[in-house]
């Protein structure tokens, strides 16, 4: 329940709102204000054409901050309005100790959550079939630009290939927040979500959490 920065695990909320509120097949055009941003990107340039589906994959696989900006603008009509939608959704989910200030997770005053709240968000998001399908992709062949051309997104989540049953959810890192990870795995009908914030050994931490959790939790009819 300790309030901490959650870095790019923020994009779980950004992607979820895009899927819930937008038309994934609709094409949008990136603007200069979207692409002027620090940190990770999917290489968008002003004038590039890209579908909302590709933006969501860019959020969840490559953690593109430019993709987060475009998504916020086209879904919320402005970044500020989109952030309001993020905070409204957080309240609906029960995230009582969370505050979003941007759609990407870059360090900002008043942008924080807790491990518990991020577990609530992760658990809620993976109930959406489209979200779960996207966050479980190890890679994806996509096309965007001006003119459009093909490229490959690769998922940063190493647990997908190293933990039995892992299918998500999102990685994150900033110097201020440290390594952050919201992960999910399913075995024998049990789905568990693990969260670590500011965890230098997050891959191994989450592996250990899953081994502990699956040992303790059983399905009863």
């Amino acid at each position: 329940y300790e309030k901490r920065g959650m870095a790019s695990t923020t994009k779980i909320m950004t992607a979820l709102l895009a899927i819930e509120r937008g038309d994934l097949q609709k094409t949008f055009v990136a603007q200069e204000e979207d692409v002027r941003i620090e940190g990770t990107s999917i290489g968008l340039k002003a004038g590039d054409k890209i579908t909302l589906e590709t933006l969501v994959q860019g959020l969840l696989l490559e953690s593109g901050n430019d993709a987060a900006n475009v998504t916020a603008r086209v879904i919320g009509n402005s970044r500020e309005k989109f952030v309001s939608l993020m905070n409204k959704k957080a309240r609906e989910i029960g995230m009582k100790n969370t505050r979003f200030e941007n759609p990407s997770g870059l360090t900002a005053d008043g942008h924080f959550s807790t491990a518990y709240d991020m577990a609530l968000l992760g658990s809620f998001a993976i109930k959406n079939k489209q979200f779960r399908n996207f966050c479980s992709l190890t890679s994806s062949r996509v096309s965007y630009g001006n003119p459009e051309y093909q490229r490959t997104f690769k998922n940063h989540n190493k647990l997908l290939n190293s933990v039995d049953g892992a299918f998500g959810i999102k990685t994150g890192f900033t110097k201020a927040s440290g390594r952050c990870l919201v992960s999910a795995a399913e075995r024998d009908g049990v789905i568990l979500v693990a969260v670590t914030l500011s965890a230098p050994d997050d891959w191994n931490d989450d592996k250990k959490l899953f081994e502990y959790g699956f040992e303790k939790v059983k399905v009863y009819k």
Side-chain angles (χ1 to χ4, degrees):
Y1 301 102
E2 184 179 318
K3 292 177 182 177
R4 294 188 174 191
M6 61 289 205
S8 283
T9 60
T10 295
K11 295 185 178 89
I12 297 170
M13 179 65 86
T14 305
L16 177 64
L17 287 174
I19 292 168
E20 287 184 344
R21 290 175 167 267
D23 177 354
L24 291 175
Q25 302 313 311
K26 192 169 181 180
T27 299
F28 300 96
V29 178
Q31 296 182 359
E32 186 66 38
E33 67 194 59
D34 302 323
V35 301
R36 284 200 315 267
I37 192 164
E38 61 182 289
T40 52
S41 80
I42 60 168
L44 282 173
K45 296 176 181 147
D48 280 358
K49 296 177 181 178
I50 187 167
T51 64
L52 185 59
E53 180 175 353
T54 303
L55 285 169
V56 170
Q57 292 186 36
L59 289 168
L60 294 175
L61 277 68
E62 291 284 357
S63 202
N65 293 336
D66 47 358
N69 277 354
V70 178
T71 301
R73 177 174 56 78
V74 301
I75 297 297
N77 293 320
S78 73
R79 192 170 118 154
E80 292 71 26
K81 288 178 182 175
F82 185 79
V83 170
S84 293
L85 293 175
M86 295 174 79
N87 286 309
K88 181 173 181 277
K89 189 72 178 182
R91 290 192 297 273
E92 290 172 1
I93 294 172
M95 301 170 71
K96 295 179 180 178
N97 293 300
T98 298
R99 178 74 191 173
F100 294 106
E101 288 292 333
N102 61 63
S104 61
L106 287 173
T107 303
D109 289 339
H111 188 91
F112 60 82
S113 188
T114 67
Y116 179 78
D117 279 9
M118 292 307 293
L120 290 178
L121 175 58
S123 299
F124 185 89
I126 59 175
K127 289 175 185 173
N128 183 298
K129 190 177 290 186
Q130 288 176 308
F131 182 98
R132 176 167 172 167
N133 286 342
F134 289 139
C135 77
S136 66
L137 293 170
T138 53
S139 66
S140 180
R141 195 76 175 147
V142 296
S143 181
Y144 59 94
N146 185 20
E148 295 185 19
Y149 66 93
Q150 281 202 324
R151 37 202 134 176
T152 301
F153 287 159
K154 291 186 179 177
N155 201 321
H156 296 181
N157 187 355
K158 292 181 181 179
L159 295 186
L160 295 177
N161 296 315
S162 62
V163 169
D164 181 31
F167 63 86
I169 301 174
K170 184 73 188 76
T171 61
F173 172 78
T174 62
K175 284 185 178 179
S177 299
R179 296 182 62 85
C180 301
L181 182 60
V182 180
S183 54
E186 181 173 12
R187 297 178 196 171
D188 300 324
V190 175
I191 297 175
L192 297 181
V193 171
V195 180
T196 45
L197 302 179
S198 189
D201 197 21
D202 54 358
W203 304 123
N204 286 321
D205 289 340
D206 280 45
K207 283 180 188 177
K208 290 172 185 174
L209 285 167
F210 283 128
E211 294 312 315
Y212 169 81
F214 284 116
E215 184 184 316
K216 297 291 182 185
V217 180
K218 308 291 180 195
V219 173
Y220 289 91
K221 291 185 181 179

